[in-house]
Amino acid sequence: MSDLRLEDTIFEHLKKTFSSISDRMEDARRSLRGADASAVGESQLVEDVQDFADDWGYGIKQLGKHTHGAVKMINKIGETFDGLDLELAQSLKAKKKGK
């Protein structure tokens, strides 16, 4: 290989971080969806709690989608970088042979 380097552990750490965020967001969304709003008592407050849970559930779902997208992009960056590294190494070998 060439001297162009990017540690694979960086990509693995990023993928693990974003994957765990996505999982935690989904857990939070399920918890909110299953919350018993009637425990707060007053009917308007119950409605407000349900609205809040719905809004946050939607937002959390969107965050989860974006973190999955980030993992896909991290994978693509890693693949592209590996390909460029290989091309650079091959071009350096070809130049050495051409001397």
Side-chain angles (χ1 to χ4, degrees):
M1 291 288 184
S2 68
D3 60 353
L4 182 61
R5 291 187 48 195
L6 186 60
E7 297 294 325
D8 289 341
T9 55
I10 292 170
F11 289 119
E12 290 306 314
H13 178 70
L14 284 171
K15 286 192 292 189
K16 183 186 283 187
T17 299
F18 278 98
S19 293
S20 71
I21 289 170
S22 180
D23 293 342
R24 288 183 287 173
M25 290 289 122
E26 182 57 27
D27 290 345
R29 190 174 73 82
R30 277 192 222 118
S31 294
L32 279 172
R33 187 176 53 212
D36 180 13
S38 66
V40 296
E42 204 269 308
S43 64
Q44 182 58 46
L45 189 53
V46 169
E47 188 177 318
D48 290 345
V49 168
Q50 289 171 335
D51 288 344
F52 173 81
D54 290 344
D55 291 345
W56 270 91
Y58 174 77
I60 288 171
K61 187 175 181 179
Q62 294 304 306
L63 286 171
K65 285 181 182 179
H66 290 298
T67 57
H68 278 298
V71 169
K72 287 180 182 178
M73 290 302 291
I74 291 166
N75 286 334
K76 184 68 175 167
I77 291 167
E79 291 168 8
T80 302
F81 185 85
D82 288 345
L84 290 172
D85 188 35
L86 185 59
E87 285 179 31
L88 179 59
Q90 290 172 344
S91 71
L92 292 173
K93 286 179 185 177
K95 285 183 182 180
K96 283 183 181 179
K97 288 181 182 179
K99 281 187 175 181

